[in-house]
Amino acid sequence: MITLAAASQKGGVAKTTTNLAIGAKLAQDGARVLYIDLDPQMNLSTTLKAQTAGVASSLDVLTGDAAIADAAQHIDGYAVVPASRLNGKADDLMPSVGKDYRLRKALETVADQYDYAILDTPPALGTLTVNALTAADWVVIPAQADAYSLDGVTDLAATIQAIREYTNPNLNIGGILLTRYNPRTSISKIIHEDAEAMAQELGTKVFRAWIPEATVVKESQAVKQSLFDYAPTSKAAYHYRFFIEELMEDVDAVAGGKAKEVGSNG
C-alpha cells in the first residue's frame, strides 16, 4: 500500500479538494482506495457521503479505541475512515507513548487490503499532521497563487524536514501544486518563480500541472460527486488529471525502483 497526503497549514488552498481528486482518479482506474479524514472540519468525510455521527472515527483509531478495519466505511467503490469534531482535541486525548506513530501502525494492519491510502490533514502543523506525515510515503504541498500561501509552504517545509529527521526518513515530497492559478496574471508569474525557488530548497519541484479557479469544483462537492463524474470534460478535471498523472509517474518510478532492489536481494 502506498500512502499519500496533500498537506498545508494554510486553509483554502484546495488541500481537501486535491486529496479527493487523487483518490477519485485512482479508484476510477481500478485501485483499492482508503481515505483517512483527520480534519475536524470533516469536509472530506461529508463530501464522500460518510456517516459521521455515532460511528468509529479517525480519532478512535489514533486513541486505539478502534481499528481501521472496523472504522472504514465502504462507499461507491472506496473506503473512508471519517473524522470527528473532536479531532481538534486529539493532542489531549491521545496517549503520549508513540503518539506520532499511531496512524502509521494502524495503517500497517490493512496494508494488504488497499492499494492506496489518502490522508486528509487539518490546516495546522500539530499532532494530526505529524501523524499523517509520519505515515505517508508521499506528500503534495498545495499552495494558492498568493504570497501568504507561500509563507505557509516555508513553515510546512520545516516540519517536513523534522519529520524526515526524526520519524519518517523515507517521506518523499511530490512537489508544490499551484492552485487557483491564472498564468496570465503578473502576480501568478511572480508566485511561480517564488515557488520554484522554494521547491529547489526542498529538493523537489513545482508540478507542471496547475489548478485553475473553477466553480465546478465547488458544485461537485455540493452534490457529493467526484469531479471526474460531475464534470469530466471541464478544465478543472483536465488539470487535475494532468497533475495526478504527473504525480503517479514519480510514485510508480520510486515503487518500481524499490521492487527491483527487493528482487536483487532475493
Side-chain angles (χ1 to χ4, degrees):
M1 183 175 71
I2 295 172
T3 304
L4 304 155
S8 174
Q9 76 167 75
K10 298 287 289 184
V13 298
K15 170 183 60 62
T16 298
T17 300
T18 299
N19 281 320
L20 285 164
I22 293 172
K25 179 64 167 60
L26 292 172
Q28 194 176 66
D29 292 343
R32 299 171 298 171
V33 173
L34 168 68
Y35 288 100
I36 306 284
D37 190 357
L38 297 167
D39 189 347
Q41 297 179 77
M42 304 191 299
N43 291 334
L44 182 137
S45 299
T46 55
T47 302
L48 293 174
K49 299 181 286 189
Q51 294 182 13
T52 56
V55 297
S57 69
S58 58
L59 179 60
D60 295 311
V61 171
L62 294 172
T63 59
D65 292 328
I68 286 182
D70 297 325
Q73 300 176 30
H74 296 270
I75 307 166
D76 294 344
Y78 52 81
V80 55
V81 175
S84 162
R85 295 291 183 196
L86 293 176
N87 275 47
K89 298 182 179 180
D91 210 10
D92 299 324
L93 298 172
M94 290 169 59
S96 58
V97 177
K99 179 179 288 189
D100 296 341
Y101 295 88
R102 288 190 163 264
L103 182 59
R104 180 174 176 174
K105 297 295 289 185
L107 285 168
E108 288 174 358
T109 65
V110 294
D112 61 342
Q113 298 176 32
Y114 300 99
D115 300 307
Y116 298 94
I118 311 295
L119 313 179
D120 196 44
T121 60
L125 300 180
T127 297
L128 295 172
T129 297
V130 169
N131 259 269
L133 295 179
T134 298
D137 299 303
W138 289 85
V139 59
V140 172
I141 307 173
Q144 188 174 335
D146 64 51
Y148 296 125
S149 183
L150 286 185
D151 288 342
V153 173
T154 302
D155 293 335
L156 179 61
T159 299
I160 289 173
Q161 289 169 354
I163 291 290
R164 282 174 154 177
E165 183 174 356
Y166 295 108
T167 63
N168 186 5
N170 298 318
L171 178 62
N172 297 287
I173 306 175
I176 298 172
L177 175 66
L178 294 175
T179 63
R180 296 176 178 168
Y181 184 76
N182 182 350
R184 298 179 181 178
T185 64
S186 297
I187 184 62
S188 288
K189 294 176 182 177
I190 295 171
I191 293 299
H192 195 283
E193 292 175 359
D194 290 345
E196 290 281 4
M198 288 184 176
Q200 188 171 3
E201 291 181 9
L202 283 168
T204 187
K205 65 182 181 182
V206 177
F207 286 100
R208 296 190 305 275
W210 45 267
I211 309 302
E213 182 77 59
T215 302
V216 293
V217 172
K218 296 179 181 178
E219 290 175 350
S220 67
Q221 294 172 359
V223 298
K224 297 179 172 54
Q225 288 186 24
S226 158
L227 174 65
F228 305 118
D229 290 331
Y230 179 77
T233 61
S234 65
K235 288 184 178 179
Y238 167 81
H239 284 276
Y240 261 119
R241 284 194 195 93
F242 181 21
F243 151 67
I244 294 164
E245 288 169 2
E246 189 178 352
L247 170 64
M248 295 313 296
E249 283 179 5
D250 292 337
V251 171
D252 291 343
V254 171
K258 289 182 179 179
K260 289 180 181 178
E261 289 177 10
V262 171
S264 64
N265 292 331

